[in-house]
Structure formats: C-alpha cells, structure tokens
Amino acid sequence: MQNITYIQPTSRKFFTAKSLYLLLAIIGAIDPWIFLCQFFSQNGFAVSLFFQSAFANYISSEVAADLLISALVFCCFSLLELKRIGVSQRWLFLYVVITFGIGLSCSLPLFLYFREQALETPKLDK
C-alpha cells in the first residue's frame, strides 16, 4: 500500500506563497546589484575597498556581521531542510553561490520557492 506523505490542496488563488517567494527572489536579485553596480562604477573593481567600506564603522560592521551570520544560518538550515524533504543536497551548492554571489535577499526566497515546489509534489512512501 502506498501512502502519500504530502499533498497541498490545489487552489486557483492568484497570489500564492510560492509566487510571493518567486517575486521576492527576483527583487532580492535586482536590488543588491543596483547598489553594487553603483559602488563598482564609482570605485572600480576594488574588492578591498568594498570590505573596508562594509566594516567602516560600528553600525556598518554590525549589519555586515549580522548578515554573514544570517547567511551561515541559512546554509545550515537549507542543508537540513533539503535532507528532511528528500531533495538532492547538490542544490545546496547553488544556494551558497547565490547567497555569497548575489545575496541572502535572493537565495532565501529562492530556496523557499523551490521548497514549496518540492512539498507540492506528492511523494510516495515505500
């Protein structure tokens, strides 16, 4: 006998959590790059100046440290959640690259979008 472990009721809602996550991932991909492009257009590709500016004072240091810790927590959470829902852990590499390449504002909602998609797919117990 086969049991379906998760089925989300199908609905015709115009705006679902999944579509919200996708919209936030798109915004989270565009918004940080606007500021990064402005910084690099004014300063050239000065990575050392970028990190110097990120830790220029106590407030910016706090924000940068908080963001780095949040990114680390997200990486741990996504690894555990991918195991829990039975999705290949190879996806973790993508989320880590997006987190540190674009930003947590893109990778977190993108992860939640694909998580919702995986949860909507019926899985059969053996």
Side-chain angles (χ1 to χ4, degrees), residues 23-60:
L23 175 66
L24 291 172
I26 293 168
I27 293 169
I30 295 170
D31 188 55
W33 278 98
I34 291 172
F35 297 107
L36 280 175
C37 289
Q38 288 175 349
F39 175 83
F40 288 129
S41 69
Q42 291 176 358
N43 302 298
F45 193 69
V47 178
S48 61
L49 180 60
F50 174 80
F51 285 106
Q52 183 181 4
S53 299
F55 292 93
N57 57 46
Y58 293 123
I59 298 299
S60 62

Side-chain angles (χ1 to χ4, degrees), residues 1 6 9 25 38 47 53 56 63 68 72 74 81 83 88 110 113 117 124:
M1 176 176 244
Y6 185 87
Q38 288 175 349
V47 178
S53 299
V63 171
L68 288 172
L72 178 63
F74 168 67
E81 189 67 5
K83 279 184 186 178
S88 173
L110 187 66
Y113 170 80
Q117 187 171 339
L124 299 177

Side-chain angles (χ1 to χ4, degrees), residues 15 22 37-38 55 62 82 85 95 97 117 119 124:
F15 204 67
L22 184 59
C37 289
Q38 288 175 349
F55 292 93
E62 185 277 328
L82 289 172
I85 62 176
Y95 299 126
V97 168
Q117 187 171 339
L119 292 175
L124 299 177

